[in-house]
Amino acid sequence: MSTESDTGLCGPKLVVQLARFGDLVQTKRLILSLVRQSESAVHLVVDHSLVTLAKCIYPGIIVHGVHAHARPGVTEQDILRQNLAVFHELKECQFSEVYNLNFSGLNMALSTLFDPDTVRGHRMEQGQERSDLWSQMGMRWVRLRRDVGMNLVDFWACLADDPIAPGEVNPIAMRGGKGIGVVMAGRESRRSIPPETLAAIAGATTQGTRSDTIFLIGSASESGRARAFLDAAPRKIRENTTDLTGKTDWAGLIDALTGLDALITPDTGTMHLAAHLGVPVHALFLSSAWCHETGPYGIGHRVWQSAEPCAPCLESAPCRKGVKCLNAFSGRNFLRHLAGNAAFEVPEGMLGYVSAIDSLGVTYRPVLGQDPTEASRASFRALIGQYKGYAMWDKPVDERMVRTIFHEQDWIFGGDMTPQDIREMVPAPELDEQAAE
């Protein structure tokens, strides 16, 4: 008979998500999985600036706010002092499971409040920073970005046992009749589209969707980009555009997004919030943004991904090609495609995807252009699907991929595979010996 300590069902569970707006929304599959599994409350720790949003997205979850990010004039000692009361409150909760998602100093400090055996993800143990095998594997994949494909929503969800089906996370995206939203910029400048180009894209999209009304969405710091958008737009577009930059709080942003026919956006938190609400996303991915990692979640979204050989790049490294990946987004053929004109050629340097769902999670199927890394991502997903115990994968597993993403000790310390499974996938004598041990 299972005991309370065996199942963890009777104890409260905690998710620690101290990253930004988009990451909070991308934690949805994990949180919904824990809610379904737990007989007790599910708690969530976020940066204090996101508490209101977290309560809107996850009603019924107990939300705790901490000061997670540096601010001008605030020292680390100040942040610690401000957080002590919350730390004490969390320690008293006696969580049966803690999901610590971010590899940061504050996350590590928070983990010391709990029994290390209850912490999944990242933790501090006996003065040493440690990460679960699954989290270690994810960090390895960073150097293989073009060849692997697992959405961050699904990666975090797989920290839990038996996560909910991916089709249950977000509603199918459907037009709401209110018009088109245009997000002015993302946090990273190279991931954003110039306002003049956005105006052309929005104009073409209104033709293709027959939605005349446009809403410009962003923070107060992006009001200048909104003015540049309006200056570049034809008079008909200007007359039907409402500038909401700097005019919405979290509730107002949700209200602005709800019911849109489409949201045109780079890789942003607003994009993830729209997908959460069932708004069709038209995502523009370039530079370091890679849709196979952080694309809009669910069915009914479109992604236009830069396909330059250097994509995805590192945002921290200087671009030596003059952000060439921007060119395709202002090209005549791309605008013709958005406008619904059949007389276009596939834009050079761009791939078009539609979002889809398989047993592992969300994936993106190419419908515009030839994807040179589609086969390697399919191999990766088949391998990870088998590793996580999904039985419906019938695609062949590439032996090179196995040797690249796994270390020999991984077969011993994690996953749902038996030594016989490993022998069948990788018939190498040295791996047979390791697995047999």
Side-chain angles (χ1 to χ4, degrees):
M1 179 180 295
S2 297
T3 66
E4 178 178 328
S5 60
D6 290 331
T7 65
L9 291 176
C10 297
K13 299 182 181 182
L14 174 67
V15 176
V16 182
Q17 175 54 274
L18 298 183
R20 305 286 182 174
F21 167 19
D23 300 86
L24 170 61
V25 188
Q26 291 177 100
T27 314
K28 185 177 180 181
R29 188 181 177 193
L30 171 61
I31 291 175
L32 295 185
S33 299
L34 299 180
V35 169
R36 176 171 296 184
Q37 297 168 6
S38 181
E39 297 176 359
S40 299
V42 175
H43 295 238
L44 173 64
V45 179
V46 298
D47 182 75
H48 72 102
S49 66
L50 297 173
V51 168
T52 300
L53 178 62
K55 290 179 178 179
C56 290
I57 298 173
Y58 306 118
I61 299 298
I62 300 172
V63 181
H64 308 263
V66 299
H67 294 267
H69 304 294
R71 304 184 305 281
V74 179
T75 66
E76 291 184 0
Q77 290 76 15
D78 293 332
I79 292 176
L80 179 60
R81 194 178 305 111
Q82 292 167 340
N83 289 336
L84 282 177
V86 180
F87 288 178
H88 178 75
E89 180 181 343
L90 293 171
K91 186 175 178 62
E92 293 298 310
C93 287
Q94 298 295 309
F95 295 109
S96 62
E97 294 175 4
V98 177
Y99 294 82
N100 199 25
L101 303 185
N102 319 113
F103 190 84
S104 75
L106 183 55
N107 281 84
M108 291 298 181
L110 262 171
S111 73
T112 63
L113 301 174
F114 317 111
D115 181 344
D117 291 338
T118 68
V119 181
R120 303 188 185 188
H122 307 286
R123 66 188 181 278
M124 186 76 75
E125 188 174 350
Q126 296 181 344
Q128 299 293 318
E129 294 180 346
R130 300 190 184 281
S131 299
D132 287 353
L133 174 58
W134 182 245
S135 298
Q136 292 178 39
M137 289 167 59
M139 289 188 282
R140 286 181 212 156
W141 301 341
V142 171
R143 57 189 170 84
L144 304 167
R145 296 176 69 190
R146 289 181 65 89
D147 293 314
V148 304
M150 188 170 193
N151 194 279
L152 188 57
V153 174
D154 300 316
F155 178 78
W156 277 332
C158 283
L159 282 169
D161 300 324
D162 192 24
I164 65 170
E168 299 181 54
V169 178
N170 285 340
I172 295 174
M174 299 181 66
R175 295 180 58 167
K178 195 167 78 173
I180 293 172
V182 182
V183 177
M184 289 290 96
R187 287 185 62 247
E188 305 290 351
S189 60
R190 288 213 313 254
R191 293 187 179 200
S192 301
I193 304 293
E196 298 79 8
T197 303
L198 272 180
I201 291 173
T205 305
T206 60
Q207 295 181 52
T209 61
R210 298 183 181 180
S211 301
D212 293 332
T213 306
I214 295 176
F215 300 91
L216 306 185
I217 297 170
S219 65
S221 64
E222 289 148 13
S223 295
R225 296 178 70 91
R227 289 191 295 271
F229 176 103
L230 292 169
D231 289 343
R235 184 178 68 178
K236 183 179 179 181
I237 296 293
R238 292 198 303 270
E239 291 174 348
N240 292 290
T241 297
T242 301
D243 181 6
L244 297 178
T245 56
K247 300 173 184 176
T248 57
D249 56 12
W250 291 124
L253 177 60
I254 291 173
D255 183 64
L257 295 175
T258 301
L260 289 176
D261 293 315
L263 181 74
I264 300 170
T265 177
D267 184 7
T268 62
T270 303
M271 176 191 75
H272 296 296
L273 184 58
H276 161 77
L277 296 169
V279 175
V281 170
H282 292 206
L284 313 174
F285 273 61
L286 69 158
S287 184
S288 59
W290 195 234
C291 69
H292 305 289
E293 298 169 342
T294 57
Y297 200 94
I299 296 174
H301 307 295
R302 299 181 181 184
V303 179
W304 288 276
Q305 172 73 60
S306 166
E308 294 294 333
C310 52
C313 64
L314 290 175
E315 191 71 31
S316 57
C319 177
R320 304 187 186 280
K321 298 188 177 182
V323 197
K324 182 182 177 182
C325 54
L326 264 175
N327 296 343
F329 292 92
S330 57
R332 182 181 182 185
N333 281 314
F334 178 54
L335 298 177
R336 280 185 169 186
H337 172 68
L338 295 179
N341 189 334
F344 77 95
E345 296 180 3
V346 175
E348 184 179 357
M350 177 184 290
L351 291 169
Y353 294 98
V354 295
S355 60
I357 293 290
D358 60 26
S359 62
L360 187 59
V362 75
T363 186
Y364 304 92
R365 294 177 179 167
V367 294
L368 187 69
Q370 297 296 317
D371 185 351
T373 55
E374 181 182 12
S376 62
R377 284 196 307 276
S379 178
F380 170 84
R381 292 183 70 80
L383 174 58
I384 294 300
Q386 292 183 37
Y387 178 76
K388 297 304 292 184
Y390 297 108
M392 60 183 293
W393 292 89
D394 57 359
K395 295 184 181 297
V397 172
D398 183 85
E399 182 176 324
R400 179 190 62 85
M401 181 69 73
V402 175
R403 297 181 185 281
T404 301
I405 69 172
F406 287 108
H407 291 174
E408 292 179 3
Q409 63 267 29
D410 296 347
W411 304 111
I412 303 171
F413 296 115
D416 299 308
M417 306 185 74
T418 66
Q420 182 59 38
D421 294 329
I422 300 162
R423 290 191 188 94
E424 292 175 357
M425 293 174 64
V426 193
E430 64 271 19
L431 286 188
D432 280 349
E433 294 170 4
Q434 289 283 343
E437 292 176 3

